[in-house]
């Protein structure tokens, strides 16, 4: 697990499992945590850093969505109240092949959110809003004082992942995030990124549609599986191994679900 500072009172934790992220807003000794990492070892390391090294206490954990690759630390902070969108259960139990560890990590939220809400935490107003691009229970967090927006899995690096949504819904979510005009974004995985990454992800969806259309016209589904990520990315963007992996999963989903059909 890696720890970095987004500001003197904002810590970003990046786990080894799935490169999942968690963001800690610190006010005095108290922490407002957004998401909870994806693996048990990462979760324990985050707790050791916050409680053991820094002497802090996590009082609220806001879940941007209820998927198991973001829930590993929920049981490690028993005094914390867990906040989630009211459709959290629909998302959690829609996942395929939940492991015993995933099941153990599940915690019922004590705060259920529906529309927009806000939490005042130190110098920050955390403006929480539904943005269901990736899942029906997705919450994003605008942090104006830090020129930052936490966009959850609506963004995967310079791409978007199609598993629980449609390309159209993902694009609507990305466009809404763009309209905030923040200079930095924190997705659910990888690392904090510049605001233009949102435009890159929208470009990826457009180019992916075009490439799939071309592949469908030219023959069998295997042509879709051969679409390289480089053909879909914005100019000057070099893909990471993580983006390569999830692009490959996108291609399988396109074949399986018949996404981007010819009209």
């Amino acid at each position: 697990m890696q720890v970095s500072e987004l500001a003197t009172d904002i810590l970003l934790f990046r786990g080894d499992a799935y490169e999942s992220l968690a963001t800690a807003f610190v006010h005095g000794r108290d922490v407002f945590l957004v998401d909870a990492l994806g693996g048990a070892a990462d979760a324990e390391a985050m707790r050791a850093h916050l409680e053991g090294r820094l002497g802090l206490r996590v009082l609220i954990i806001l879940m941007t969505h209820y998927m198991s690759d973001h829930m590993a630390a929920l049981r490690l902070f028993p005094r914390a109240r867990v906040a989630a969108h009211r459709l959290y259960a629909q998302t959690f139990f829609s996942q395929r092949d939940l492991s015993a560890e995933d099941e153990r990590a599940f915690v019922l939220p004590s705060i259920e959110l529906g529309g927009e809400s806000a939490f005042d935490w130190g110098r920050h107003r955390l403006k929480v809003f539904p943005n269901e691009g990736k899942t029906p229970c997705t919450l994003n967090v605008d942090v104006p004082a830090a020129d930052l927006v936490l966009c959850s899995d609506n963004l995967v690096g310079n791409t978007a992942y199609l598993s629980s949504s449609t390309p159209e819904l993902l694009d609507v979510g990305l466009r809404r995030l763009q309209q905030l005009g923040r200079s930095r974004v924190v997705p659910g995985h990888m690392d904090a990124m510049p605001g233009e990454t949102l435009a890159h992800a929208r470009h990826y969806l457009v180019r992916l549609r075009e490439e799939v259309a071309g592949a469908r016209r030219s023959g069998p589904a295997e042509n879709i599986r051969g679409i390289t990520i480089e053909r879909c990315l914005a100019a000057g963007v070099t893909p990471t191994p993580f983006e390569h992996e999830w692009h490959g999963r996108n291609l399988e989903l396109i074949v399986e679900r018949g996404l981007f059909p010819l009209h």
Side-chain angles (χ1 to χ4, degrees):
M1 187 206 63
Q2 301 173 24
V3 187
S4 59
E5 274 194 7
L6 300 182
T8 55
D9 54 357
I10 306 176
L11 299 176
L12 183 67
F13 295 89
R14 178 184 176 186
D16 295 328
Y18 313 110
E19 297 186 33
S20 288
L21 302 179
T23 308
F25 294 86
V26 181
H27 175 48
R29 290 186 55 231
D30 300 333
V31 173
F32 186 112
L33 187 65
V34 179
D35 287 333
L37 300 180
D42 295 325
E44 289 286 358
M46 179 169 65
R47 178 173 65 173
H49 187 87
L50 289 171
E51 294 185 343
R53 181 176 178 183
L54 300 180
L56 304 175
R57 54 189 182 185
V58 176
L59 298 186
I60 298 178
I61 305 174
L62 175 74
M63 295 298 298
T64 61
H65 63 298
Y66 245 61
M67 283 192 161
S68 56
D69 56 340
H70 300 277
M71 300 175 66
L74 287 183
R75 291 195 179 276
L76 300 186
F77 302 105
R79 78 176 74 189
R81 300 186 70 192
V82 177
H85 191 281
R86 60 184 178 80
L87 298 179
Y88 69 92
Q90 174 183 327
T91 294
F92 182 80
F93 292 108
S94 72
Q95 298 176 96
R96 300 177 183 177
D97 304 321
L98 285 168
S99 68
E101 183 177 324
D102 294 335
E103 297 278 4
R104 286 193 297 271
F106 181 85
V107 171
L108 285 171
S110 54
I111 303 171
E112 293 188 21
L113 303 175
E116 297 183 4
S117 56
F119 296 84
D120 291 316
W121 202 260
R123 69 186 180 99
H124 297 292
R125 167 156 278 213
L126 309 179
K127 300 168 72 173
V128 181
F129 59 97
N131 196 19
E132 67 169 287
K134 175 69 188 311
T135 69
C137 79
T138 294
L139 298 171
N140 288 171
V141 187
D142 185 29
V143 192
D147 193 17
L148 176 72
V149 62
L150 281 62
C151 57
S152 185
D153 282 4
N154 284 339
L155 186 72
V156 179
N158 293 280
T159 74
Y161 182 44
L162 305 174
S163 68
S164 304
S165 188
T166 67
E168 294 77 14
L169 276 175
L170 283 165
D171 189 64
V172 169
L174 289 166
R175 185 168 69 248
R176 183 175 184 185
L177 290 162
Q178 269 187 299
Q179 290 169 348
L180 295 171
R182 302 303 175 211
S183 69
R184 292 184 298 174
V185 296
V186 174
H189 302 267
M190 295 181 61
D191 207 345
M193 297 183 173
E196 57 263 29
T197 308
L198 297 166
H200 294 168
R202 296 188 69 195
H203 176 94
Y204 169 83
L205 289 173
V206 171
R207 288 291 299 130
L208 185 60
R209 180 184 294 276
E210 294 171 349
E211 289 288 336
V212 170
R216 290 195 188 283
R217 292 189 191 99
S218 63
E222 194 57 41
N223 292 344
I224 293 174
R225 294 186 174 95
I227 297 169
T228 65
I229 188 172
E230 288 81 2
R231 282 152 51 189
C232 301
L233 291 177
V237 175
T238 301
T240 66
F242 194 84
E243 290 166 324
H244 266 290
E245 176 184 351
W246 294 93
H247 171 73
R249 296 191 186 200
N250 274 342
L251 299 180
E252 292 300 325
L253 287 165
I254 290 166
V255 173
E256 176 186 322
R257 290 163 49 187
L259 296 175
F260 303 122
L262 293 174
H263 295 293

